[in-house]
Amino acid sequence: MTTTDPIREAIFAAVRAIPRGRVAAYGEVAARAGLPRRARLVGRLLREAPSGALPWHRVVRSDGRLAFPPDSEPWLTQRERLSREGVVMTGGRIPARFFAWRDEDLDAALWG
DNA sequence: GAAATGACGGAGA
DNA sequence: CTCTCCGCCATTT
């Protein structure tokens, strides 16, 4: 465990903070945990995280695609769990409106 | 210690 | 819009 516990906990907290029915990019999660440019670290921690410990399915790539190979087992699982929360993919992507903290103020200004 | 790898991200072509 | 290429960081080979 080369990754320190405080770091891991900060990231786990950020993931748990993603509201139901919303998603967040790896980079956004890292930034929220106070760790800019650590997107890849988030991915590694999710991979090692105990199953059921956190809502990992709400973490996706910044472009709206899932991080797994399309139609692979984990890919299908994630899509299902998201769909169950109302987050649906269109054209293999998750529309920007489902992102939790992206352009929060700008979104409010434009879309209310 | 160099090179490759990966649940990433952004700029270009 | 799709596809590459490169930067980024921590870990592995």
Side-chain angles (χ1 to χ4, degrees):
Chain A
M1 61 172 100
T2 44
T3 311
T4 64
D5 278 1
I7 297 297
R8 202 193 63 211
E9 276 312 311
I11 293 195
F12 279 14
V15 172
R16 279 189 277 259
I18 306 173
R20 253 174 119 268
R22 292 289 177 81
V23 298
Y26 291 86
E28 294 176 330
V29 170
R32 272 229 156 187
L35 302 164
R37 282 159 235 154
R38 303 293 161 85
R40 306 191 89 125
L41 174 61
V42 173
R44 188 172 70 78
L45 290 181
L46 286 189
R47 185 177 43 132
E48 299 172 353
S51 182
L54 40 86
W56 59 270
H57 59 284
R58 295 180 193 148
V59 185
V60 304
R61 288 197 186 180
S62 63
D63 58 12
R65 285 179 297 181
L66 305 188
F68 304 102
D71 300 316
S72 66
E73 186 59 21
W75 189 95
L76 292 170
T77 299
Q78 184 169 16
R79 186 188 61 173
E80 174 60 24
R81 293 184 69 164
L82 285 174
S83 174
R84 205 171 303 181
E85 298 183 352
V87 178
V88 294
M89 297 179 45
T90 66
R93 306 276 196 92
I94 293 174
R97 64 170 178 283
F98 287 115
F99 279 76
W101 317 308
R102 174 111 84 193
D103 304 326
E104 224 169 292
D105 27 24
L106 180 60
D107 253 22
L110 295 180
W111 300 91

